[in-house]
Amino acid sequence: MNPESTVRAAVGTSLLEDFSLEMTGKDVPKLEEARDSIPEGTRINITFLGNENLEMRLEAARAVKRLGFVPVPHISARRLGSRADFEQFLAGLRDDGTSGNVFVVGGDPAQPEGPYSDSLSLIGTGLLQEYGVRHVGISGYPEGHPEIDGGALWSALQDKHTALVTQPLEGCVITQFGFDVDPVLAWVEQVRGRGIALPIRIGVPGPAGVRRLMSYAARFGVGTSASVVKKYGFSLSNLMGTAGPDRFLRDLATAYDPARHGDLKIHFYTFGGLKATSDWAARFRKDSLA
């Protein structure tokens, strides 16, 4: 098999096998529209936004399960007003049979709305497994975080890994999205060098408008230099255009070495475009295997 065919096969099988998607509580109609193009059993993360209420979050998890996918509800530590709020959410998920998989994150508020300041504090309560959680996703930031020191990010990742192993709970790391493969894989190697063997889902932006991509990138401190933007395949001068992750995934497949990087999968940030992303992934995987 020639090198180009090897890359296509890697993209089509290993990296795009068992990819995951992200949606909000308001995206249930969009999920129903996209259902036929999403593989059965796909993990679908459900964000925990400040403008959504408990019932909306629970209904989204129920819808994901009803449509044949695996719900992964997010739990935002700093948005929980009390331990009772935390338990109420977990109890609702348990009662609906949707508590098996969750993703814990600190969340956007600068000041906690209750007793939990970060995702480690949620893991440390012991409540997750008490309410039926078996698998916990945690965050990774290959290009850092605009408001958190790099050393603190590494300490937090290691502490969360230790907490999951100690509980014990299964887990994975889901990274923030990026446009440049090089810092992502360099970060993955550092993760492995620190003894963290959890599967890593590399965050990738699904096909979306350039303006929206740039807005999210600026918010999360993702590198968007002119060279990176050109490499990704869109123009800053054409903010009305759209871009897909084709180049990123091909570059990732070229550089991916399981011996060095371990278990990698793809996590798509859909920006509300569930059908566009799932249709794109199906076409791209088919073309890669052709």
Side-chain angles (χ1 to χ4, degrees):
M1 182 179 289
N2 63 46
E4 183 178 350
S5 297
T6 300
V7 170
R8 289 203 305 267
V11 171
T13 56
S14 175
L15 291 172
L16 276 183
E17 187 179 83
D18 188 30
F19 64 81
S20 52
L21 297 165
E22 191 149 311
M23 63 176 280
T24 72
K26 298 183 178 71
D27 286 338
V28 171
K30 296 178 181 179
L31 180 64
E32 292 174 337
E33 179 188 14
R35 63 185 299 182
D36 291 340
S37 56
I38 302 174
E40 184 177 357
T42 295
R43 298 170 66 86
I44 299 183
N45 285 43
I46 306 158
T47 57
F48 193 108
L49 302 180
N51 60 359
E52 297 173 352
N53 59 32
L54 173 65
E55 182 53 36
M56 187 178 294
R57 296 176 185 127
L58 293 175
E59 172 54 31
R62 288 193 291 265
V64 171
K65 180 183 178 184
R66 171 173 53 83
L67 294 172
F69 310 119
V70 177
V72 185
H74 288 202
I75 306 176
S76 175
R78 289 192 287 273
R79 290 195 185 280
L80 293 169
S82 65
R83 180 185 174 100
D85 287 347
F86 186 20
E87 292 205 60
Q88 184 180 22
F89 186 37
L90 289 174
L93 294 174
R94 178 198 58 196
D95 294 346
D96 290 337
T98 57
S99 67
N101 300 264
V102 301
F103 177 81
V104 293
V105 64
D108 291 335
Q111 296 297 323
E113 297 173 10
Y116 308 112
S117 60
D118 53 32
S119 52
L120 179 62
S121 63
L122 298 181
I123 299 171
T125 62
L127 290 173
L128 295 174
Q129 55 270 55
E130 184 176 324
Y131 282 90
V133 175
R134 301 184 306 276
H135 186 284
V136 178
I138 56 177
S139 298
Y141 298 93
E143 296 186 66
H145 189 288
E147 298 178 5
I148 305 175
D149 173 77
L153 286 175
W154 280 116
S155 294
L157 182 60
Q158 290 182 299
D159 289 346
K160 286 182 283 190
H161 172 251
T162 299
L164 291 177
V165 171
T166 303
Q167 290 288 346
L169 286 164
E170 296 179 27
C172 71
V173 180
I174 300 178
T175 75
Q176 187 50 263
F177 76 83
F179 299 135
D180 192 358
V181 164
D182 294 341
V184 171
L185 289 182
W187 177 86
V188 169
E189 289 196 54
Q190 291 185 66
V191 171
R192 301 313 186 200
R194 292 169 182 261
I196 299 173
L198 294 175
I200 297 176
R201 290 183 175 270
I202 303 297
V204 176
V210 172
R211 186 183 295 276
R212 176 171 284 191
L213 282 176
M214 299 304 292
S215 171
Y216 276 88
R219 177 182 175 189
F220 292 107
V222 173
T224 54
S225 67
S227 61
V228 170
V229 168
K230 183 178 180 181
K231 186 175 180 181
Y232 190 68
F234 57 84
S235 169
L236 289 175
S237 63
N238 180 21
L239 294 180
M240 298 306 293
T242 60
D246 312 52
R247 178 63 183 270
F248 181 92
L249 286 178
R250 289 195 174 96
D251 286 351
L252 182 61
T254 300
Y256 175 37
D257 178 0
R260 298 200 334 263
H261 304 126
D263 184 2
L264 299 186
K265 301 294 182 186
I266 299 300
H267 177 74
F268 285 109
Y269 291 90
T270 66
F271 306 114
L274 277 164
K275 190 171 192 316
T277 299
S278 55
D279 285 348
W280 178 92
R283 287 194 306 270
F284 189 71
R285 190 169 190 272
K286 180 179 178 181
D287 293 343
S288 298
L289 292 172

